[in-house]
Amino acid sequence: FSSLIYYAERTGCPDIAATTQEWRSAYRQECVDSGEKYDLKGNLCCNDRGAASGFPSIALSCWWAIVTMVTVGYGDMVPLTAPGRIVGSFTIIGGIVLIALPVAIVGGKFQKAYDEHRFEEQFATRQQRNIRFVSTDIMKVTDADAEDSNGDNDCPG
């Protein structure tokens, strides 16, 4: 996406190579006066290499693409041309598809595994509780049998 935004924003730049030095100086001054976005004629401000001043290199455009995909962006770099805004929209959607959806899927799987683990723990606890009740009942029966073997029963023998 970084190369796409770089070249999409570049479409709004005038052909710097086909201009005179005098025109470039006036153009630069208009851009500085306007805040580095548009000149007085409404043309996008660009550097001496013909790149938009908002996206002067592919490396900085890569920064913009990463920040746009993983967050909502800082607002330090924004596309100003229609093709740039289209690329920006696809970058945002790409960030949602590549980052947000997998996180939701992994989170869902984690929740399922956690629920299964809790169920197994509860099942094991119930089994231990049942074993204690059964062992208590067995001990009662065993104690009763022991009393009977001490001569407390009425059976001859």
Side-chain angles (χ1 to χ4, degrees), residues 128-141:
Q128 288 175 351
R129 206 176 299 144
N130 289 340
I131 289 171
R132 268 188 279 156
F133 290 138
V134 169
S135 65
T136 304
D137 291 343
I138 291 172
M139 287 175 36
K140 286 178 184 176
V141 169

Side-chain angles (χ1 to χ4, degrees), residues 75-131:
D76 56 345
M77 299 170 70
V78 293
L80 299 173
T81 63
R85 289 180 178 150
I86 291 170
V87 171
S89 298
F90 282 114
T91 304
I92 293 167
I93 292 168
I96 291 169
V97 170
L98 293 175
I99 295 170
L101 289 178
V103 166
I105 291 168
V106 169
K109 294 283 186 182
F110 175 78
Q111 185 64 41
K112 182 180 175 185
Y114 180 71
D115 290 342
E116 288 173 359
H117 176 71
R118 288 198 55 200
F119 176 77
E120 289 171 3
E121 280 183 342
Q122 289 173 352
F123 183 73
T125 303
R126 285 184 185 139
Q127 280 185 329
Q128 288 175 351
R129 206 176 299 144
N130 289 340
I131 289 171

